[in-house]
Amino acid sequence: MNDVTAPRFRAYSARDLDALLDRCGADSETKLQIRAVAAVLPFRANQYVVDELIDWDDVHDDPVFRLVFPQPDMLAADELKTVTDLLREEAGPARLATAVREIRAGLNAHPAGQTDQNVPAWQGRRLSGVQHKYEETLLYFPRQGQTCHAYCTYCFRWAQFVGVPELKMAAEKDDADALAAYLRHHTEITDILVTGGDPLIMRTDNLRRALEPFLAPGMEHIRNIRIGTKALTYWPYRFTDDEDADDVLRLFEEVRDRGRHLAVMAHVTHPRELRPEPVRRAVERIRSTGAVIRTQAPLVRSINDDAAVWREMWTRAVALDAVPYYMFVERDTGPRQYFEVPLVRAWQIYREALASVTGLARTVRGPSMSATRGKVVVDGVTEVAGQSALALRYLQARDPEVVGRPFFARFDPQATWVTDLRPLSPSDAPFLDQTAGARPEDRVAGQAPGPTGTTAPAPDVPHRPV
């Protein structure tokens, strides 16, 4: 894993899997099974990830290999056999497509109300490529940014990348004026999260066109621009050596000069991603523009489910002048059975890691579930009235009234998601109800501003110390 002079970007797709797997001496059956998984879940890598981040002499225990390359256990045994058999017998594309479509239908392509509760409307028309779940934050999906330098196998937006138009979220040009009108009406929106995919896969001129509407006159209520990206560690040359690297840094400076806080929300899943010299140089250049880098990732079994891994990741982030931001719980989508970690174990890893880092790294929040109703954080295991319980609260929610109010669930060492939890008492039940929240039709101009819509009133719960 030696540092290299910036190469020209080269992407690898499923067609390259056999040749790539020759590096680790994979046998023909293993290759066939991995290609079968890649027929269902998207695969994309590039030469930086392949050459600089993966130890090809030890792929069985290599976290970045599992982070990028499909693994046979990501499909149920019967599903894997179905697709493997079709590939082995060279079945026609129609039969393969039918089998793949059936498997994907069971993978919860758009969790947490992304398409049925988060999409706002203007004058009765749903806006494409936009989500407005929390009052102050709007997510924007620019069309040219709906791919990545490489795909993470755990990605909860896998459906963006499988080539099925009806599963994809992307902004349409025809909705630009409607979005601008929606933003002028909803002045409670202070934060724009430009996401994907990866917006920094775009050339700078396209990124500029995506950002300009949020900086225009009449948009002064928008104070914070966030860009979600994996480019920092999957292709750091985007900020140092690409032909328009200087252009993207100038754009960052312009966003700051126009009075906005600019945050690069860097997805960093394993500390190995932060070790190469190109990443250090990229961070220095980004920080020189006045932008802040915040790091976040889900807790993923077999990749980073170890307190020592998170301790190193947060420590390296601080040393690089980045701010540790979130430890997420792996979402209930895609191959979740391969990646999920019980909530109790997630909290133990978080607590152990947090206890052994500098206070400067204790900015990180977690373990947090981005559920239908909001971001639910596990605060710990405690005892209430003689019963073991999980202490929880909403860090963010469709209904701001529930944010920060402690509630409790019955202790369950096997639960991996909020829907697995049961309330400790009747007063806790409303907090765990994931059906409460806004509907897209509640967000039409002329109604009360804000995305909270019609929700059940926040329960009057007495404070119980954790």
Side-chain angles (χ1 to χ4, degrees):
M1 299 185 190
N2 299 316
D3 186 21
V4 297
T5 302
R8 184 176 178 83
F9 181 81
R10 178 188 175 189
Y12 297 116
S13 70
R15 295 188 301 271
D16 303 301
L17 274 170
D18 280 3
L20 290 169
L21 293 170
D22 283 339
R23 296 190 179 202
C24 61
D27 59 38
S28 59
E29 185 63 20
T30 299
K31 291 178 181 178
L32 184 65
Q33 291 182 345
I34 289 177
R35 282 194 282 115
V37 179
V40 178
L41 299 166
F43 169 76
R44 177 180 166 94
N46 66 61
Q47 79 274 32
Y48 175 82
V49 172
V50 166
D51 295 339
E52 299 302 309
L53 298 182
I54 294 174
D55 181 357
W56 288 96
D57 293 328
D58 189 25
V59 294
H60 295 295
D61 292 318
D62 189 273
V64 181
F65 181 77
R66 287 193 295 273
L67 178 58
V68 178
F69 281 76
Q71 304 297 304
D73 290 347
M74 289 176 184
L75 296 183
D78 59 331
E79 295 171 341
L80 180 65
K81 183 178 187 307
T82 295
V83 182
T84 301
D85 287 348
L86 289 171
L87 293 178
R88 184 180 286 112
E89 66 188 56
E90 299 183 355
R95 289 179 61 196
L96 181 62
T98 298
V100 166
R101 184 167 57 249
E102 290 175 355
I103 295 171
R104 287 175 181 163
L107 295 180
N108 191 19
H110 293 302
Q114 288 187 89
T115 57
D116 60 345
Q117 293 193 44
N118 295 358
V119 179
W122 178 254
Q123 296 181 344
R125 175 183 174 182
R126 284 161 59 95
L127 297 175
S128 63
V130 178
Q131 292 188 27
H132 189 189
K133 179 176 179 178
Y134 304 130
E135 187 170 278
E136 73 281 1
T137 305
L138 182 137
L139 275 63
Y140 180 63
F141 297 75
R143 174 159 293 280
Q144 298 95 331
Q146 301 317 305
T147 186
C148 297
H149 292 96
Y151 296 149
C152 297
T153 45
Y154 66 77
C155 183
F156 80 96
R157 292 213 176 108
W158 61 268
Q160 289 283 88
F161 315 129
V162 295
V164 180
E166 58 267 29
L167 293 180
K168 193 168 186 175
M169 293 175 284
E172 300 286 351
K173 285 184 179 180
D174 292 346
D175 282 348
D177 291 341
L179 174 57
Y182 182 86
L183 285 168
R184 284 193 294 269
H185 180 78
H186 287 275
T187 55
E188 77 280 5
I189 297 173
T190 60
D191 289 47
I192 302 294
L193 171 55
V194 187
T195 186
D198 191 331
L200 289 171
I201 198 81
M202 295 192 290
R203 291 189 56 84
T204 303
D205 54 353
N206 289 326
L207 180 61
R208 180 183 296 277
R209 281 191 287 270
L211 297 183
E212 279 291 348
F214 309 123
L215 307 174
M219 299 294 178
E220 287 78 12
H221 56 286
I222 296 173
R223 297 192 292 272
N224 305 305
I225 305 290
R226 312 181 200 176
I227 301 176
T229 185
K230 190 79 179 177
L232 180 65
T233 61
Y234 273 6
W235 189 250
Y237 306 121
R238 179 69 186 91
F239 310 100
T240 59
D241 296 272
D242 276 2
E243 62 181 20
D244 65 338
D246 291 344
D247 295 335
V248 78
L249 296 175
R250 278 192 292 267
L251 176 59
F252 287 2
E253 290 175 343
E254 289 177 32
V255 172
R256 294 285 295 133
D257 290 344
R258 291 165 78 167
R260 269 62 169 194
H261 173 87
L262 178 62
V264 174
M265 314 302 292
H267 293 258
V268 182
T269 319
H270 193 274
R272 183 182 296 175
E273 299 174 60
L274 295 174
R275 295 172 190 167
E277 175 63 17
V279 175
R280 185 194 63 77
R281 291 192 289 114
V283 169
E284 286 182 351
R285 298 202 81 201
I286 295 168
R287 293 289 293 120
S288 72
T289 70
V292 173
I293 300 171
R294 301 182 188 275
T295 62
Q296 57 189 20
L299 177 65
V300 190
R301 186 174 67 85
S302 83
I303 291 176
N304 61 18
D305 55 335
D306 185 309
V309 170
W310 286 87
R311 179 171 60 245
E312 181 186 351
M313 192 152 56
W314 296 338
T315 299
R316 285 185 178 273
V318 170
L320 288 168
D321 205 14
V323 181
Y325 187 55
Y326 262 117
M327 172 197 277
F328 290 115
V329 174
E330 175 61 18
R331 289 201 185 193
D332 55 337
T333 182
R336 62 171 295 187
Q337 76 288 341
Y338 185 87
F339 290 122
E340 61 190 3
V341 176
L343 298 176
V344 172
R345 175 64 182 146
W347 172 72
Q348 291 169 338
I349 291 171
Y350 171 81
R351 185 185 66 168
E352 183 181 341
L354 201 70
S356 57
V357 295
T358 170
L360 295 174
R362 294 179 185 176
T363 50
V364 70
R365 296 178 289 183
S368 172
M369 293 171 276
S370 294
T372 302
R373 197 173 180 187
K375 287 187 174 71
V376 184
V377 68
V378 180
D379 276 332
V381 176
T382 188
E383 187 173 290
V384 178
Q387 299 183 73
S388 294
L390 285 176
L392 307 127
R393 62 191 163 93
Y394 282 94
L395 295 174
Q396 186 67 283
R398 297 182 191 278
D399 179 2
E401 289 300 314
V402 304
V403 173
R405 304 181 69 170
F407 62 100
F408 299 87
R410 297 176 186 175
F411 179 80
D412 183 349
Q414 303 305 317
T416 59
W417 194 248
V418 64
T419 51
D420 298 332
L421 299 174
R422 298 294 175 262
L424 187 67
S425 70
S427 63
D428 296 307
F431 289 99
L432 289 169
D433 179 8
Q434 294 302 302
T435 64
R439 301 162 299 177
E441 58 266 33
D442 293 324
R443 302 184 192 153
V444 180
Q447 299 185 16
T452 53
T454 305
T455 62
D460 187 14
V461 180
H463 175 70
R464 290 173 286 185
V466 177

